[in-house]
Amino acid sequence: MSKFVYAFEEGSKELKNLLGGKGANLSEMTKIGLPVPPGFTLSTEACNEYYNKGKILWDDLKREIEDNMKKLESKAGKKFGSEKNPLLVSVRSGAAISMPGMMDTVLNLGLNDTTAEAIAKETGNERFTWDSYRRFIQMFSDVVMEIPKYKFEIAIDELKESKGYNLDVDMTAQDLKDLVSRFKSIYIKEIGKDFPEDPFEQLLQTILAVFDSWNNPRAIVYRELNDIPGDIGTGVNVQSMVFGNMGENSGTGVAFTRDPATGENSVYGEYLMNAQGEDVVAGIRTPHKIERLKDDLPEVYEEFLRICSLLEDHYKNMQDIEFTIEKGKLYILQTRNGKRTSSAAVQIAVDMVDEGLLTKEEAVLRVDPQSISQMLHKAFCEESLANAKPIAEGLPASPGAASGKVFFNSESIKLNKGGILVRLETSPEDIEGMHGSEGILTVRGGMTSHAAVVARGMGKCCVSGCSNIKINEEKKEMIVGDVVIKEGEYISLDGTTGKVYLGSIEKEEASLGGSFKKFMEWADDIRVMGVRANADTPEDSEVAVKFGAEGIGLCRTEHMFFEEKKIWPMREMIVAKTTYERERALDKLLPLQKEDFVGIFRVMGSKPVTVRLLDPPLHEFLPSKAEEIKRLADDMNLDFDELKQRVSSLHEFNPMLGHRGCRLAVTYPEIYEMQAKAIIGAAIKVRDEGIKVDPEIMIPLVGEVNELKYVKSKVVAAIEKLFEELGETIEYKLGTMIEVPRACLTSDEIAGEADFFSFGTNDLTQITFGFSRDDSPKFLGEYKSKEILPRDPFESVDTKGVGKLIKMSIELGQSVKKDIKLGVCGEHGGDPKSIEFFHSVGLNYVSCSPYRVPVARLAAAQAELKSRKK
Amino acid sequence: MSKFVYAFEEGSKELKNLLGGKGANLSEMTKIGLPVPPGFTLSTEACNEYYNKGKILWDDLKREIEDNMKKLESKAGKKFGSEKNPLLVSVRSGAAISMPGMMDTVLNLGLNDTTAEAIAKETGNERFTWDSYRRFIQMFSDVVMEIPKYKFEIAIDELKESKGYNLDVDMTAQDLKDLVSRFKSIYIKEIGKDFPEDPFEQLLQTILAVFDSWNNPRAIVYRELNDIPGDIGTGVNVQSMVFGNMGENSGTGVAFTRDPATGENSVYGEYLMNAQGEDVVAGIRTPHKIERLKDDLPEVYEEFLRICSLLEDHYKNMQDIEFTIEKGKLYILQTRNGKRTSSAAVQIAVDMVDEGLLTKEEAVLRVDPQSISQMLHKAFCEESLANAKPIAEGLPASPGAASGKVFFNSESIKLNKGGILVRLETSPEDIEGMHGSEGILTVRGGMTSHAAVVARGMGKCCVSGCSNIKINEEKKEMIVGDVVIKEGEYISLDGTTGKVYLGSIEKEEASLGGSFKKFMEWADDIRVMGVRANADTPEDSEVAVKFGAEGIGLCRTEHMFFEEKKIWPMREMIVAKTTYERERALDKLLPLQKEDFVGIFRVMGSKPVTVRLLDPPLHEFLPSKAEEIKRLADDMNLDFDELKQRVSSLHEFNPMLGHRGCRLAVTYPEIYEMQAKAIIGAAIKVRDEGIKVDPEIMIPLVGEVNELKYVKSKVVAAIEKLFEELGETIEYKLGTMIEVPRACLTSDEIAGEADFFSFGTNDLTQITFGFSRDDSPKFLGEYKSKEILPRDPFESVDTKGVGKLIKMSIELGQSVKKDIKLGVCGEHGGDPKSIEFFHSVGLNYVSCSPYRVPVARLAAAQAELKSRKK
């Protein structure tokens, strides 16, 4: 006879497929000697057999269940259905993979009129007893018998109304006892039979319901969408109930084995005597600190400390433990890795290495890379924050804390040298203002709006999409509800929560020394992939270096042109009608642009700096409103209508797929020629100051090798001419961004012309899916809720599609140039899941915004460790 | 000693690599016994040896040249540099692949003061002699010695001014003789030496210049861009000159071996006695019909007829021949396959099969598929056209001929049941008007504008981008120059030339019977790939069937919604705020849409009909101007501001990558549910009328299998429900368009859910390149002129990138579903080059606009024949 039922003592965490996830965990805790309330698991094979046999519980199985119930009774020292010390159990489903749509839990199974009386007597708590009983009937009726919930709710409402009660807690023990009778009547009316008094019948019917729920429509759809086979089945866990409210030597609590806020190595928790789990959470009674248990029940406290130590030894991790004390006996109901702040996570990891619990490698795997980004930003002091009142809440678009005077345009920020920039939405023209601000608040736009993306890049605090703010630009004020905030008044932003506060709040600096430094050094020792930053200014570059960037992987040149002194010659260049006029404007830009690069090279020194030549469509640099066009026309001595015509001729239906990137340089090579001269001129200047420099020139949006060939020939010729003029040369690399599907498909040809590939996964994702980043938020929400895509492909790289193209590109590229340098500079470069993928395909480095650099360093180390395991 | 020089007798057309293209052709003509002026070729190996030796002409080579000149003299019966009967030669370059940037031709080489006098005497034509001499000096100075051309032009201008001449032809023999002296002075001044009198020195210097031109910068860049190796070298052809103006028994002419207009099997040509080639072309003297040569020189005429027959036997094709008669001796200067009208091409191919010259297979390969599309449209009668005066010229956007009354909007076309629709540019709202019109004329937009694409789809004549027309919509008139054309006045359009005429012109119908029918039947017997049409209406479907379509590969449903009675419920549906409102609007659309399909199924009968569910973004159906929104708001009893807000919320930054295709159905599944019910309801209705039907439902823009799964589940459920309601069922297929790169990359998953793939190569090309079709014309011109892309990827499918994705998709799809049906429905489906590619990757069918169906049938047959050869 096959075995279908396993006592907790018989399993372990390795038997997840057989026992389901929940069953395996209960077994594991039992196995390592924790005082877990006893129980057993019907295996997933039992579920499959149930379907094979045409959905009936067969006799052998029933006998196995009975046998196990017998053993359970003896372990618990209680008896199922007995009028003295009766055993109550919980029944829970549990597949190897957790799955929505399945039946979840029935508690207090085994209650009937007899056992209820017995428990009332034993606990001396009538109200608790009858409340438990009526809840059991409700739960059983709903999840097992599928009687609509509202039928019971009506009965409760009627009772409360007749008594004049407002709240459920107003109901007395007698009320609840009456409710049990009413519920039973409802049950008879709906089912046509009495509510089952026989606990064993209750149990079998519940098991049957769990098995049936495996094939309910929601579970089937979920499995189909997630490619989970239908024949893996679910387990059923039957566990003895324990109660913390059985008198003054009973109790319940939760505790962490270490301080989850600071990581300090001492048990941290709370408990209440003579109470249920809900009581600790509900906050009606104030729980005690765990240390007081030493006075209440010294032996239990000692055992609890012993268990904490045992659990840390076993799981090698800080644990979050739920426990119950029933009549002086300690039970562990659940243990799991405890949630902690990011600084606690780092502290615990470092301490555990010092304690010999973990190796450095294990420690490095223990901290979620995502979480450490919060450690890098300024934060509000907790005390100051406690007194501050939030006035609005938007999206937490870019983390950090900021306080400052409110200004409604970039000019005012520049004039006042700082402040909070408040805008309906930002555009490229706001770059300078954003840079000079303490933080940015926008009314419109999501997590991937212009403001959000640029702010994250700058490491600037930003709250976006704060739609209940109204801005009156004329009056220079903003209105939130009935609060009016005028220009120059103070507000504070929390970019990690999305909250907006009135007034200024004290802040504290991030601490990057001590354990954090030690921890990150371990990560750096392990990782093989380089980490660079995306940085467009000397200031960004300094932050990048502070956070450990080993170079700049993406220096965008377009933002530079929005500065006051550069935007005019830039616009002259754009509206030029002849190559001569264009070159004249570019001549004005050349020295200015060169100075941009001088600053960056000085900061970065011998670290490589990849400069991307101009990428966005030219219309982004032109004004769009009539009055601004008028001003430009006047300033440039042009005819207004002609200029308007020129601006409108630059309009594009799909700018994402339009005249930009290297396509601009095919039409106007002189733009890239100027930029190349500025980069190389700056590199030579800084080199001549005695600083080693490593410039890399990157051509964007290449999709066909002839584009690169043509543009490269122009760029190289311009540089050669410069070398000749200066009488000196310098080494540089010239490569391309791979961000168009066709570039991936023809990477063998392209590699022949490029020293390096840098994958621009933002655009590559947009184009491979055909999802415009600006427009897709409209429908991606629906994609998420309907589980059409497992995750937002703009957050974590889509390995199936985009990733396949990247792999293909690498293989084709390396087939022609074995040692071609490979990096990534899209926002995915700072996303740990994506970093793992980039590591697996063999990229040399990732590049991300400066504030993500430590995240990427840790994620790269973890990726290396995971690949070693395989 | 290696051989580097080959007399024409020694070569053949197979030796193209050794002799270059031109040399091999001259040899071939000599080989088959044509009276070609004798000559020889310096091989491409000589060119390479020249570079190996450090750019000098070595002695052995010079000796070979001398030897061959000797032989040439004896063949020509003339002597190089002689004062009696002197030999003149032409020198031409000729690589295996023709290449811009290389030196082209030097004529009349061998002229000096001595030989010029001799020729003047012999021809009795002093003017011709000195004109030839001064041209030779100019040509030699320019292409061999690189003296700037303008220096000679100034001398000519000075001479003309001093004599008071306006035209070159005013110059007398003496003037030209003077010019020779002046040119020689310029030569001395520039070069510092006398102009070479020694003919052999002239020859060697010219050969040297041809070799040097192989490595001039333009040729090098061209080779790099086209991946032509640099070491294949160029040949040099030296050929004896012959003159048709050496007296009354000399002459020159051109002739076709068959009538190039009708294909009739009789020699067709013109000649002039005592004339040069230019004289025939220049039209100063009226040439004679070739038949008159029988009277002038009967023996020459007989020989000419014999040569025509010989050439057709040899080349198995109608030939275009240039000939010269020098002193009664016939010379053939060139023969090549003759250009012909498309109907002549078909006639000749069919005749040649009947004559036993060609097999059916060879005949089918002889007609350019592109060309036959002109045969399918109405054309203006030649006589009527001769009297018509064009008033403007735009782009030949869609072929055919149309006459009709001018109207400036679609309503007027509908009201008047026809006319020429004249618009600034068209938009989807004009579809009905375009359909009802005789032809379309637009002021803006290129060959791929909305008007052009839709008109070609409808087979409607269209002239687009006719920018010198001004439209005054208020006054209902158009102005071209000083011509004002009022609404209701007649104009005519020629969509094949782009010309616009005032008034009405008589037209003749296309003839699709006789030789055309026979020819197309041969093609159909050969081809293995099916040909379907893209058709959205019963009328289009009828045209498609007439042209031989075997089904509909793309029936777009969006155009249907622009009809007056459908656009209102459509707009109701779009602005609906709840699912209930949306379904109510869809209920109104259901019967209307069903009728659309009933009409199409009745026409198509048992042929498959693939209906694509709604694809474009919803904002395309809404008005954009304030006044129109106002009207919609009034009509629908909505608040204007709210509606305006709704319209503007549907605006997209990149609509191409926005909320459209199956993404709409993920958000609003009820739209596709309605369409599925309409299609299947119509299919059942027509089936019940006794007509077999074969419906296929196509889901657009799928990029992830879960999209298809979700949408399919909704569509299938709606159809199942319909089956239940009707109590009957029908077979149908459900497949998807593959038009997003990610769909290609994950085709294995998608194939599991699809009965067929239809490649939407329009969008796939846009997205793979990242080229918006609307915006890329701005820069694709530059791409063409700079030779960055070999051809417009929207005309012929890009096999390197897009084609690679298609191949990958097919392989992945077939790995899961071996017999999945594969087709293509982008505009490439009607392009012969693309059809060859689609054949090579194993597609089952192509689908194109009805008027391209015969083109596709022929191209598919040719693709099959070409693949048999391999």
Side-chain angles (χ1 to χ4, degrees), chain A residues 2-6 41-43 45-47 49 58 61 64:
Chain A
S2 313
K3 180 176 171 70
F4 289 109
V5 182
Y6 295 79
T41 305
L42 277 73
S43 73
E45 289 171 355
C47 175
E49 191 66 17
W58 60 102
L61 183 70
E64 255 191 290

Side-chain angles (χ1 to χ4, degrees), chain A residues 224-227 648-660 662-663 665-669 701 703-707 709-710 740-749 766-776 778-779 782-783 786-790 798 800-802 804-805 808 812, chain B residues 224-227 648-660 662-663 665-669 701 703-707 709-710 740-749 766-776 778-779 782-783 786-790 798 800-802 804-805 808 812:
Chain A
E224 273 179 9
L225 286 178
N226 291 279
D227 283 326
S648 101
S649 77
L650 284 169
H651 163 81
E652 295 187 302
F653 295 97
N654 292 287
M656 177 68 215
L657 309 176
H659 195 190
R660 64 185 197 91
C662 67
R663 299 165 193 173
V666 169
T667 321
Y668 312 116
L701 215 70
E704 154 62 42
V705 67
N706 285 338
E707 292 175 322
K709 271 189 191 169
Y710 177 80
V740 171
R742 197 172 183 281
C744 297
L745 295 161
T746 61
S747 286
D748 42 354
E749 296 186 342
Q766 294 195 73
I767 308 183
T768 304
F769 274 91
F771 284 173
S772 153
R773 189 150 177 172
D774 297 314
D775 303 311
S776 60
K778 266 185 212 161
F779 56 86
E782 205 87 25
Y783 271 55
K786 288 177 176 165
E787 295 176 342
I788 286 174
L789 284 175
D798 157 54
K800 260 192 206 175
V802 177
K804 198 170 191 174
L805 277 179
M808 188 183 305
L812 288 171
Chain B
E224 271 180 10
L225 288 176
N226 291 280
D227 283 325
S648 101
S649 78
L650 285 169
H651 163 82
E652 295 187 300
F653 296 95
N654 292 287
M656 177 67 215
L657 309 176
H659 196 189
R660 64 185 197 91
C662 68
R663 299 166 193 173
V666 169
T667 321
Y668 312 117
L701 214 71
E704 154 63 42
V705 67
N706 285 337
E707 292 175 322
K709 272 188 189 169
Y710 177 80
V740 171
R742 199 174 182 279
C744 297
L745 295 161
T746 61
S747 286
D748 43 354
E749 296 186 344
Q766 292 196 73
I767 309 184
T768 303
F769 274 92
F771 284 174
S772 153
R773 187 150 179 170
D774 296 315
D775 303 311
S776 60
K778 266 186 214 163
F779 55 86
E782 205 86 24
Y783 271 55
K786 289 179 174 163
E787 294 176 342
I788 285 173
L789 284 174
D798 158 54
K800 262 191 204 174
V802 177
K804 198 169 189 175
L805 276 177
M808 189 183 305
L812 288 171

Side-chain angles (χ1 to χ4, degrees), chain A residues 494-511:
Chain A
D494 188 334
T496 314
T497 62
K499 284 189 175 133
V500 181
Y501 301 87
L502 203 58
S504 187
I505 306 175
E506 214 180 314
K507 289 174 291 292
E508 52 195 8
E509 277 293 336
S511 148

Side-chain angles (χ1 to χ4, degrees), chain A residues 524 526-533 548-553 608 610 694 696 733 736 738 754-759 806 809-811 813-814 817-825 829 834-848 856-857 859-861 863-864:
Chain A
D524 289 340
I526 292 163
R527 71 184 161 88
V528 292
M529 208 160 44
V531 176
R532 299 194 191 178
E550 295 156 321
I552 291 179
T610 311
D694 186 2
E696 304 185 328
K733 293 194 186 69
T736 178
I738 301 282
D755 296 324
F756 61 87
F757 283 174
S758 180
F759 291 96
I806 292 176
S809 170
I810 294 174
E811 282 163 20
Q814 289 178 333
K817 195 173 275 179
K818 214 182 135 217
D819 56 352
I820 188 164
K821 202 160 155 189
L822 301 165
V824 64
C825 63
S834 309
I835 289 171
E836 194 177 334
F837 171 77
F838 297 137
H839 179 272
S840 76
V841 296
L843 293 198
N844 301 110
Y845 68 86
V846 296
S847 186
C848 54
R857 286 159 65 199
E864 165 62 15

